[in-house]
Short mmCIF file of all heavy atoms in Angstrom, two decimals:
data_model
loop_
_atom_site.label_atom_id
_atom_site.label_comp_id
_atom_site.label_asym_id
_atom_site.label_seq_id
_atom_site.Cartn_x
_atom_site.Cartn_y
_atom_site.Cartn_z
N TYR A 142 200.55 28.67 -219.84
CA TYR A 142 199.18 28.90 -219.39
C TYR A 142 198.45 27.63 -218.85
O TYR A 142 198.73 26.59 -219.37
CB TYR A 142 198.31 29.54 -220.63
CG TYR A 142 198.92 30.75 -221.13
CD1 TYR A 142 199.40 30.85 -222.43
CD2 TYR A 142 198.92 31.95 -220.40
CE1 TYR A 142 199.94 32.04 -222.96
CE2 TYR A 142 199.52 33.18 -220.83
CZ TYR A 142 200.03 33.12 -222.18
OH TYR A 142 200.48 34.32 -222.73
N SER A 143 197.33 27.85 -218.09
CA SER A 143 196.49 26.73 -217.76
C SER A 143 195.67 26.35 -218.89
O SER A 143 195.39 27.14 -219.74
CB SER A 143 195.77 27.06 -216.51
OG SER A 143 194.87 27.96 -216.81
N PRO A 144 194.98 25.22 -218.95
CA PRO A 144 194.06 24.91 -219.98
C PRO A 144 192.86 25.91 -220.08
O PRO A 144 192.47 26.24 -221.19
CB PRO A 144 193.47 23.51 -219.57
CG PRO A 144 194.60 22.89 -218.87
CD PRO A 144 195.25 24.02 -218.11
N ASP A 145 192.40 26.42 -218.93
CA ASP A 145 191.36 27.41 -218.93
C ASP A 145 191.86 28.73 -219.69
O ASP A 145 191.11 29.43 -220.25
CB ASP A 145 190.86 27.65 -217.51
CG ASP A 145 190.11 26.55 -216.95
OD1 ASP A 145 189.36 25.87 -217.70
OD2 ASP A 145 190.22 26.28 -215.75
N GLN A 146 193.16 29.14 -219.38
CA GLN A 146 193.65 30.28 -219.86
C GLN A 146 193.79 30.24 -221.42
O GLN A 146 193.55 31.14 -222.11
CB GLN A 146 194.93 30.61 -219.22
CG GLN A 146 194.82 31.10 -217.73
CD GLN A 146 196.21 31.37 -217.11
OE1 GLN A 146 197.14 30.63 -217.28
NE2 GLN A 146 196.20 32.50 -216.25
N TRP A 147 194.19 28.98 -221.88
CA TRP A 147 194.30 28.75 -223.31
C TRP A 147 192.82 28.92 -223.90
O TRP A 147 192.76 29.45 -225.09
CB TRP A 147 194.83 27.42 -223.68
CG TRP A 147 196.32 27.36 -223.67
CD1 TRP A 147 197.18 26.58 -222.74
CD2 TRP A 147 197.29 27.97 -224.46
NE1 TRP A 147 198.55 26.86 -222.94
CE2 TRP A 147 198.61 27.63 -224.10
CE3 TRP A 147 197.12 28.84 -225.55
CZ2 TRP A 147 199.76 28.06 -224.79
CZ3 TRP A 147 198.18 29.18 -226.29
CH2 TRP A 147 199.46 28.93 -225.89
N ILE A 148 191.86 28.36 -223.27
CA ILE A 148 190.55 28.45 -223.81
C ILE A 148 190.12 30.00 -223.73
O ILE A 148 189.52 30.38 -224.83
CB ILE A 148 189.53 27.67 -222.95
CG1 ILE A 148 189.88 26.14 -223.18
CG2 ILE A 148 188.13 27.88 -223.38
CD1 ILE A 148 189.15 25.18 -222.20
N LEU A 149 190.49 30.67 -222.75
CA LEU A 149 190.15 32.14 -222.82
C LEU A 149 190.78 32.86 -223.99
O LEU A 149 190.25 33.79 -224.58
CB LEU A 149 190.58 32.70 -221.43
CG LEU A 149 189.55 32.66 -220.22
CD1 LEU A 149 190.22 33.33 -219.05
CD2 LEU A 149 188.31 33.38 -220.64
N LEU A 150 192.03 32.43 -224.32
CA LEU A 150 192.85 33.04 -225.35
C LEU A 150 192.06 32.66 -226.66
O LEU A 150 192.03 33.67 -227.45
CB LEU A 150 194.27 32.58 -225.37
CG LEU A 150 195.18 33.30 -224.37
CD1 LEU A 150 196.55 32.56 -224.33
CD2 LEU A 150 195.38 34.70 -224.58
N PHE A 151 191.60 31.48 -226.77
CA PHE A 151 190.85 31.10 -228.02
C PHE A 151 189.77 32.05 -228.24
O PHE A 151 189.45 32.59 -229.33
CB PHE A 151 190.45 29.65 -227.89
CG PHE A 151 189.36 29.31 -228.99
CD1 PHE A 151 189.84 29.05 -230.23
CD2 PHE A 151 188.09 29.26 -228.50
CE1 PHE A 151 188.81 28.68 -231.13
CE2 PHE A 151 187.14 28.92 -229.41
CZ PHE A 151 187.41 28.66 -230.73
N PHE A 152 188.86 32.21 -227.17
CA PHE A 152 187.65 33.01 -227.35
C PHE A 152 188.10 34.53 -227.56
O PHE A 152 187.44 35.22 -228.42
CB PHE A 152 186.83 32.87 -226.00
CG PHE A 152 186.05 31.57 -226.15
CD1 PHE A 152 186.27 30.76 -224.98
CD2 PHE A 152 185.05 31.30 -227.09
CE1 PHE A 152 185.41 29.52 -224.89
CE2 PHE A 152 184.41 30.11 -226.92
CZ PHE A 152 184.64 29.25 -225.95
N ALA A 153 189.07 34.96 -226.93
CA ALA A 153 189.49 36.37 -227.16
C ALA A 153 189.92 36.64 -228.52
O ALA A 153 189.60 37.60 -229.15
CB ALA A 153 190.67 36.67 -226.09
N TYR A 154 190.72 35.67 -229.11
CA TYR A 154 191.30 35.95 -230.50
C TYR A 154 190.07 35.63 -231.48
O TYR A 154 190.06 36.31 -232.60
CB TYR A 154 192.47 34.96 -230.72
CG TYR A 154 193.76 35.51 -230.19
CD1 TYR A 154 194.46 34.85 -229.21
CD2 TYR A 154 194.20 36.76 -230.63
CE1 TYR A 154 195.59 35.32 -228.72
CE2 TYR A 154 195.30 37.21 -230.18
CZ TYR A 154 196.11 36.45 -229.21
OH TYR A 154 197.22 37.06 -228.65
N ALA A 155 189.14 34.74 -231.15
CA ALA A 155 188.06 34.50 -232.08
C ALA A 155 187.19 35.68 -232.03
O ALA A 155 186.61 36.06 -233.18
CB ALA A 155 187.26 33.27 -231.60
N PHE A 156 186.97 36.40 -230.96
CA PHE A 156 186.15 37.72 -230.92
C PHE A 156 186.99 38.70 -231.68
O PHE A 156 186.34 39.61 -232.51
CB PHE A 156 185.99 38.07 -229.56
CG PHE A 156 185.22 39.36 -229.45
CD1 PHE A 156 183.89 39.55 -229.88
CD2 PHE A 156 185.86 40.61 -228.98
CE1 PHE A 156 183.19 40.76 -229.76
CE2 PHE A 156 185.25 41.73 -229.04
CZ PHE A 156 183.89 41.93 -229.32
N ALA A 157 188.20 38.85 -231.45
CA ALA A 157 189.03 39.82 -232.04
C ALA A 157 189.08 39.58 -233.66
O ALA A 157 188.93 40.66 -234.42
CB ALA A 157 190.52 39.82 -231.52
N GLY A 188 190.57 32.13 -233.54
CA GLY A 188 190.96 31.66 -232.31
C GLY A 188 191.80 30.46 -232.41
O GLY A 188 192.95 30.40 -231.86
N ILE A 192 196.09 30.20 -231.75
CA ILE A 192 196.69 29.30 -230.88
C ILE A 192 197.71 28.40 -231.66
O ILE A 192 198.94 28.18 -231.16
CB ILE A 192 195.58 28.22 -230.37
CG1 ILE A 192 194.61 29.08 -229.50
CG2 ILE A 192 196.31 27.10 -229.46
CD1 ILE A 192 195.16 29.83 -228.39
N HIS A 269 199.97 39.79 -228.84
CA HIS A 269 199.99 38.88 -227.79
C HIS A 269 200.39 39.40 -226.39
O HIS A 269 199.93 38.97 -225.37
CB HIS A 269 200.55 37.55 -228.14
CG HIS A 269 200.29 36.47 -227.13
ND1 HIS A 269 199.11 35.85 -226.82
CD2 HIS A 269 201.18 35.84 -226.25
CE1 HIS A 269 199.23 35.06 -225.90
NE2 HIS A 269 200.48 34.95 -225.43
N PHE A 272 197.52 40.72 -224.72
CA PHE A 272 196.52 39.72 -224.31
C PHE A 272 197.13 38.95 -223.12
O PHE A 272 196.42 38.43 -222.17
CB PHE A 272 196.18 38.73 -225.39
CG PHE A 272 195.12 39.15 -226.23
CD1 PHE A 272 195.26 39.67 -227.52
CD2 PHE A 272 193.66 38.99 -225.84
CE1 PHE A 272 194.23 40.14 -228.36
CE2 PHE A 272 192.62 39.44 -226.64
CZ PHE A 272 192.93 40.02 -227.86
N LEU A 275 196.62 40.77 -220.14
CA LEU A 275 195.16 40.78 -219.78
C LEU A 275 194.76 39.50 -219.07
O LEU A 275 194.13 39.50 -218.10
CB LEU A 275 194.31 41.04 -221.03
CG LEU A 275 192.86 41.32 -220.93
CD1 LEU A 275 192.66 42.73 -220.04
CD2 LEU A 275 192.03 41.31 -222.13
N ILE A 276 195.32 38.50 -219.63
CA ILE A 276 195.04 37.17 -218.97
C ILE A 276 195.57 37.03 -217.56
O ILE A 276 195.03 36.51 -216.56
CB ILE A 276 195.70 35.95 -219.76
CG1 ILE A 276 194.99 35.75 -221.12
CG2 ILE A 276 195.72 34.64 -218.98
CD1 ILE A 276 193.51 35.21 -220.89
N GLY A 277 196.69 37.67 -217.31
CA GLY A 277 197.39 37.75 -215.96
C GLY A 277 196.49 38.56 -215.02
O GLY A 277 196.78 38.22 -213.70
N LEU A 278 195.70 39.27 -215.40
CA LEU A 278 194.94 40.16 -214.45
C LEU A 278 193.59 39.40 -214.07
O LEU A 278 192.97 39.81 -213.18
CB LEU A 278 194.39 41.50 -215.19
CG LEU A 278 195.61 42.37 -215.59
CD1 LEU A 278 195.01 43.59 -216.26
CD2 LEU A 278 196.31 42.82 -214.37
N VAL A 279 193.34 38.32 -214.77
CA VAL A 279 192.03 37.48 -214.34
C VAL A 279 192.46 36.62 -213.09
O VAL A 279 193.30 35.88 -213.16
CB VAL A 279 191.65 36.61 -215.45
CG1 VAL A 279 190.41 35.81 -215.13
CG2 VAL A 279 191.38 37.30 -216.76
N PRO A 280 191.73 36.91 -212.04
CA PRO A 280 192.13 36.28 -210.66
C PRO A 280 191.58 34.95 -210.45
O PRO A 280 190.49 34.55 -211.12
CB PRO A 280 191.50 37.25 -209.71
CG PRO A 280 190.27 37.78 -210.33
CD PRO A 280 190.68 37.83 -211.87
N GLY A 281 192.26 34.12 -209.73
CA GLY A 281 191.77 32.91 -209.10
C GLY A 281 191.05 31.97 -210.07
O GLY A 281 191.63 31.53 -211.09
N LEU A 282 189.82 31.53 -209.55
CA LEU A 282 189.00 30.65 -210.32
C LEU A 282 188.16 31.31 -211.49
O LEU A 282 187.44 30.60 -212.07
CB LEU A 282 188.05 29.91 -209.40
CG LEU A 282 188.72 29.09 -208.17
CD1 LEU A 282 187.75 28.61 -207.29
CD2 LEU A 282 189.50 27.87 -208.88
N ALA A 283 188.32 32.55 -211.65
CA ALA A 283 187.58 33.27 -212.62
C ALA A 283 187.79 32.64 -214.07
O ALA A 283 186.78 32.45 -214.82
CB ALA A 283 187.89 34.67 -212.70
N PRO A 284 188.97 32.29 -214.46
CA PRO A 284 189.06 31.69 -215.75
C PRO A 284 188.39 30.40 -215.94
O PRO A 284 187.64 30.13 -217.02
CB PRO A 284 190.54 31.38 -215.93
CG PRO A 284 191.32 32.44 -215.01
CD PRO A 284 190.28 32.51 -213.84
N ASN A 285 188.20 29.57 -215.01
CA ASN A 285 187.61 28.35 -214.89
C ASN A 285 186.03 28.59 -215.12
O ASN A 285 185.37 27.97 -216.05
CB ASN A 285 187.77 27.57 -213.64
CG ASN A 285 187.10 26.20 -213.64
OD1 ASN A 285 185.86 26.06 -213.27
ND2 ASN A 285 187.74 25.14 -214.13
N LEU A 286 185.44 29.57 -214.29
CA LEU A 286 184.08 29.93 -214.45
C LEU A 286 183.74 30.53 -215.80
O LEU A 286 182.78 30.02 -216.53
CB LEU A 286 183.69 30.82 -213.33
CG LEU A 286 182.26 31.41 -213.31
CD1 LEU A 286 181.30 30.27 -213.03
CD2 LEU A 286 182.11 32.53 -212.24
N VAL A 287 184.52 31.39 -216.35
CA VAL A 287 184.25 32.05 -217.48
C VAL A 287 184.35 31.15 -218.72
O VAL A 287 183.46 31.08 -219.61
CB VAL A 287 185.33 33.31 -217.76
CG1 VAL A 287 185.07 33.87 -219.17
CG2 VAL A 287 185.03 34.30 -216.74
N THR A 288 185.35 30.25 -218.71
CA THR A 288 185.45 29.28 -219.83
C THR A 288 184.34 28.40 -219.81
O THR A 288 183.94 27.91 -220.91
CB THR A 288 186.83 28.60 -219.66
OG1 THR A 288 186.94 27.91 -218.40
CG2 THR A 288 188.06 29.47 -219.97
N HIS A 289 183.93 27.81 -218.60
CA HIS A 289 182.70 26.95 -218.62
C HIS A 289 181.41 27.66 -219.26
O HIS A 289 180.84 27.10 -220.07
CB HIS A 289 182.37 26.52 -217.24
CG HIS A 289 183.36 25.34 -216.89
ND1 HIS A 289 184.64 25.54 -216.60
CD2 HIS A 289 182.94 24.07 -216.68
CE1 HIS A 289 185.15 24.35 -216.14
NE2 HIS A 289 184.18 23.31 -216.33
N ILE A 290 181.24 28.82 -218.92
CA ILE A 290 180.06 29.61 -219.38
C ILE A 290 180.22 29.89 -220.82
O ILE A 290 179.25 29.59 -221.68
CB ILE A 290 179.88 30.96 -218.69
CG1 ILE A 290 179.57 30.71 -217.17
CG2 ILE A 290 178.74 31.80 -219.42
CD1 ILE A 290 179.49 32.03 -216.36
N MET A 291 181.38 30.32 -221.29
CA MET A 291 181.45 30.56 -222.71
C MET A 291 181.55 29.21 -223.53
O MET A 291 180.99 29.22 -224.72
CB MET A 291 182.80 31.34 -222.98
CG MET A 291 182.74 32.66 -222.29
SD MET A 291 184.34 33.64 -222.70
CE MET A 291 184.08 34.07 -224.42
N ALA A 292 182.02 28.27 -223.06
CA ALA A 292 182.09 26.87 -223.64
C ALA A 292 180.66 26.38 -223.85
O ALA A 292 180.33 25.77 -224.87
CB ALA A 292 182.88 25.94 -222.91
#
Side-chain angles (χ1 to χ4, degrees):
Y142 301 117
S143 68
D145 289 327
Q146 288 176 322
W147 277 113
I148 295 173
L149 274 181
L150 284 171
F151 164 79
F152 284 119
Y154 281 116
F156 175 72
I192 302 303
H269 188 67
F272 274 101
L275 193 63
I276 288 292
L278 295 176
V279 181
L282 295 176
N285 183 273
L286 177 63
V287 173
T288 54
H289 277 71
I290 294 173
M291 296 185 71

